[in-house]
Amino acid sequence: MALPGSISLLRAGRDRKVVWLLGLSGIACLGIGAAALDSPAPTAARIGYEFSTPGGQGEFMTFYGGFYAGIGLFLLVATRLQSLRPGAVAFLACSATLAILVRVYSLVQFETTTIVFYQLLAGEILFAVVGWVGWYWVHQAQTVSGDEKTGGPA
């Protein structure tokens, strides 16, 4: 049997950790988006993209700038709105895991040895770990919350 109030403390500790994970991931995504918006040509050149038309540059800025900045903003908003946290960590975990699978496939399929792609893979692995750990903590907090309400396991 847990001491009175100890379950609330456990839940609060996990919540703070999830907020930190989401906050740091949100800042990282905002940084990726800002780089793509501020300096699209050098950012694209680093990963082997070349813009042959203004539309290509616009598309790069839209996806890598706008979409990543949007993800970052969503993750940061989730640090303030507890109801968004389960979805935010699930999104981070699932999207980063699929990015890892596609990245590994492309590295093998296209025999890519450029270091930047391995750096991107490391970042994707970090995002996936953050997402899955965050999901676990959110799930544990929900389970602990159920114990607190019923006096036993949920």
Coordinates of all heavy atoms in Angstrom, one line a residue, residues 18-56:
V18 N 7.8 14.4 -18.6 CA 7.2 14.4 -19.9 C 7.2 15.9 -20.5 O 7.5 16.1 -21.7 CB 5.7 13.9 -19.9 CG1 5.0 14.1 -21.2 CG2 5.8 12.4 -19.6
V19 N 6.9 16.8 -19.6 CA 6.9 18.2 -20.0 C 8.3 18.6 -20.5 O 8.5 19.2 -21.6 CB 6.5 19.1 -18.9 CG1 6.8 20.6 -19.2 CG2 5.0 19.0 -18.6
W20 N 9.4 18.2 -19.8 CA 10.7 18.5 -20.3 C 11.0 17.8 -21.6 O 11.6 18.4 -22.5 CB 11.7 18.0 -19.2 CG 12.0 19.1 -18.2 CD1 11.4 19.1 -16.9 CD2 12.8 20.2 -18.3 NE1 11.9 20.3 -16.3 CE2 12.7 20.9 -17.1 CE3 13.6 20.7 -19.3 CZ2 13.4 22.1 -16.9 CZ3 14.3 21.9 -19.1 CH2 14.2 22.6 -17.9
L21 N 10.7 16.5 -21.8 CA 10.9 15.8 -23.0 C 10.2 16.5 -24.2 O 10.8 16.7 -25.3 CB 10.5 14.4 -22.9 CG 11.3 13.5 -22.0 CD1 10.6 12.1 -22.0 CD2 12.7 13.4 -22.4
L22 N 8.9 16.9 -24.0 CA 8.2 17.6 -25.0 C 8.8 18.9 -25.3 O 8.8 19.4 -26.5 CB 6.7 17.7 -24.6 CG 5.9 16.4 -24.7 CD1 4.5 16.6 -24.1 CD2 5.8 15.8 -26.1
G23 N 9.1 19.7 -24.3 CA 9.7 21.0 -24.4 C 11.0 21.0 -25.2 O 11.2 21.8 -26.2
L24 N 11.9 20.1 -24.9 CA 13.2 20.0 -25.6 C 13.0 19.6 -27.0 O 13.6 20.1 -28.0 CB 14.1 19.1 -24.8 CG 14.6 19.6 -23.5 CD1 15.4 18.5 -22.8 CD2 15.4 20.9 -23.6
S25 N 12.1 18.6 -27.2 CA 11.8 18.2 -28.6 C 11.1 19.3 -29.4 O 11.4 19.4 -30.6 CB 10.9 16.9 -28.6 OG 11.5 15.9 -27.9
G26 N 10.2 20.0 -28.8 CA 9.6 21.1 -29.5 C 10.6 22.2 -29.9 O 10.5 22.7 -31.0
I27 N 11.5 22.5 -29.0 CA 12.5 23.5 -29.3 C 13.4 23.0 -30.5 O 13.7 23.7 -31.4 CB 13.4 23.8 -28.1 CG1 12.5 24.6 -27.1 CG2 14.6 24.6 -28.5 CD1 13.1 24.7 -25.7
A28 N 13.8 21.7 -30.5 CA 14.6 21.1 -31.5 C 13.8 21.2 -32.9 O 14.4 21.6 -33.9 CB 14.9 19.7 -31.2
C29 N 12.5 20.9 -32.9 CA 11.8 20.9 -34.1 C 11.6 22.4 -34.6 O 11.7 22.6 -35.8 CB 10.4 20.3 -33.9 SG 10.4 18.5 -33.8
L30 N 11.4 23.3 -33.7 CA 11.4 24.7 -34.1 C 12.7 25.1 -34.7 O 12.7 25.9 -35.7 CB 11.0 25.6 -32.9 CG 9.5 25.7 -32.5 CD1 9.4 26.5 -31.2 CD2 8.7 26.4 -33.6
G31 N 13.8 24.7 -34.2 CA 15.1 25.0 -34.7 C 15.3 24.5 -36.1 O 15.8 25.2 -37.0
I32 N 14.8 23.2 -36.3 CA 14.9 22.6 -37.7 C 14.1 23.5 -38.7 O 14.5 23.8 -39.8 CB 14.5 21.2 -37.7 CG1 15.4 20.3 -36.9 CG2 14.3 20.6 -39.1 CD1 14.9 18.9 -36.5
G33 N 12.9 23.8 -38.2 CA 12.0 24.6 -39.1 C 12.5 26.0 -39.3 O 12.5 26.5 -40.5
A34 N 13.1 26.6 -38.3 CA 13.7 28.0 -38.5 C 14.9 27.9 -39.5 O 15.0 28.8 -40.3 CB 14.1 28.5 -37.2
A35 N 15.7 26.9 -39.4 CA 16.8 26.8 -40.3 C 16.3 26.6 -41.8 O 16.9 27.3 -42.7 CB 17.7 25.6 -39.9
A36 N 15.3 25.8 -42.0 CA 14.8 25.6 -43.3 C 14.1 26.9 -43.9 O 14.1 27.1 -45.1 CB 13.8 24.4 -43.3
L37 N 13.5 27.7 -43.0 CA 12.9 28.9 -43.4 C 13.9 30.0 -43.6 O 13.8 30.8 -44.6 CB 11.8 29.3 -42.4 CG 10.6 28.5 -42.4 CD1 9.7 28.8 -41.2 CD2 9.8 28.6 -43.7
D38 N 14.9 30.1 -42.7 CA 15.8 31.2 -42.8 C 16.8 31.0 -43.9 O 17.2 32.0 -44.6 CB 16.5 31.3 -41.4 CG 17.5 32.5 -41.4 OD1 17.0 33.6 -41.8 OD2 18.7 32.3 -41.1
S39 N 17.3 29.8 -44.1 CA 18.4 29.6 -45.1 C 18.1 28.3 -45.8 O 18.8 27.3 -45.7 CB 19.7 29.4 -44.3 OG 20.0 30.5 -43.5
P40 N 17.0 28.3 -46.7 CA 16.6 27.1 -47.3 C 17.7 26.5 -48.2 O 17.9 25.3 -48.2 CB 15.4 27.4 -48.1 CG 15.4 28.9 -48.2 CD 16.2 29.4 -47.0
A41 N 18.4 27.3 -49.0 CA 19.4 26.7 -50.0 C 20.5 26.0 -49.2 O 20.9 24.9 -49.6 CB 19.9 27.8 -50.9
P42 N 21.2 26.7 -48.3 CA 22.3 26.0 -47.6 C 21.8 24.7 -46.8 O 22.5 23.7 -46.7 CB 22.9 27.0 -46.6 CG 22.4 28.3 -47.1 CD 21.1 28.1 -47.9
T43 N 20.6 24.9 -46.2 CA 20.1 23.7 -45.4 C 19.8 22.6 -46.4 O 20.2 21.4 -46.1 CB 18.8 24.1 -44.7 OG1 19.1 25.2 -43.8 CG2 18.2 23.0 -43.9
A44 N 19.2 22.8 -47.5 CA 18.9 21.8 -48.5 C 20.2 21.2 -49.1 O 20.3 20.0 -49.3 CB 18.1 22.3 -49.6
A45 N 21.2 22.1 -49.4 CA 22.5 21.6 -50.0 C 23.2 20.6 -49.1 O 23.8 19.7 -49.5 CB 23.4 22.8 -50.3
R46 N 23.0 20.8 -47.8 CA 23.7 19.9 -46.8 C 23.2 18.5 -46.9 O 24.0 17.5 -46.6 CB 23.5 20.4 -45.4 CG 24.2 19.7 -44.4 CD 24.5 20.5 -43.1 NE 25.4 19.7 -42.3 CZ 25.0 19.3 -41.1 NH1 23.9 19.6 -40.5 NH2 25.9 18.6 -40.3
I47 N 22.0 18.3 -47.3 CA 21.4 16.9 -47.5 C 21.3 16.5 -48.9 O 20.7 15.5 -49.3 CB 20.1 16.8 -46.7 CG1 19.0 17.8 -47.2 CG2 20.3 16.9 -45.3 CD1 17.7 17.6 -46.6
G48 N 21.9 17.3 -49.8 CA 21.9 16.9 -51.2 C 20.8 17.4 -52.1 O 20.7 17.0 -53.2
Y49 N 19.9 18.3 -51.6 CA 18.9 18.8 -52.4 C 19.4 20.0 -53.2 O 20.2 20.8 -52.7 CB 17.7 19.4 -51.5 CG 16.8 18.4 -50.9 CD1 17.0 17.0 -51.0 CD2 15.6 18.8 -50.3 CE1 16.2 16.1 -50.4 CE2 14.8 17.9 -49.7 CZ 15.0 16.5 -49.8 OH 14.2 15.6 -49.2
E50 N 18.9 20.1 -54.4 CA 19.1 21.3 -55.2 C 17.8 21.8 -55.7 O 17.0 21.1 -56.1 CB 20.0 21.0 -56.4 CG 21.5 20.6 -56.0 CD 22.3 20.3 -57.3 OE1 22.0 20.8 -58.4 OE2 23.3 19.6 -57.1
F51 N 17.6 23.2 -55.7 CA 16.4 23.7 -56.2 C 16.6 24.1 -57.6 O 17.4 24.9 -58.0 CB 16.0 25.0 -55.4 CG 15.9 24.7 -53.9 CD1 16.6 25.5 -53.0 CD2 15.1 23.7 -53.4 CE1 16.4 25.3 -51.6 CE2 15.0 23.5 -52.1 CZ 15.6 24.3 -51.2
S52 N 15.7 23.5 -58.5 CA 15.8 23.8 -59.9 C 14.7 24.9 -60.3 O 14.8 25.5 -61.3 CB 15.7 22.6 -60.8 OG 14.4 21.9 -60.5
T53 N 13.8 25.1 -59.4 CA 12.7 26.1 -59.6 C 12.4 26.8 -58.3 O 12.6 26.2 -57.2 CB 11.4 25.4 -60.1 OG1 10.9 24.6 -59.1 CG2 11.7 24.6 -61.4
P54 N 11.8 27.9 -58.3 CA 11.4 28.6 -57.1 C 10.3 27.7 -56.4 O 10.2 27.7 -55.2 CB 10.8 29.9 -57.6 CG 11.4 30.2 -58.9 CD 11.7 28.8 -59.5
G55 N 9.5 27.0 -57.1 CA 8.5 26.1 -56.5 C 9.2 25.0 -55.7 O 8.6 24.7 -54.6
G56 N 10.3 24.5 -56.1 CA 11.0 23.5 -55.3 C 11.5 24.1 -54.0 O 11.4 23.5 -52.9

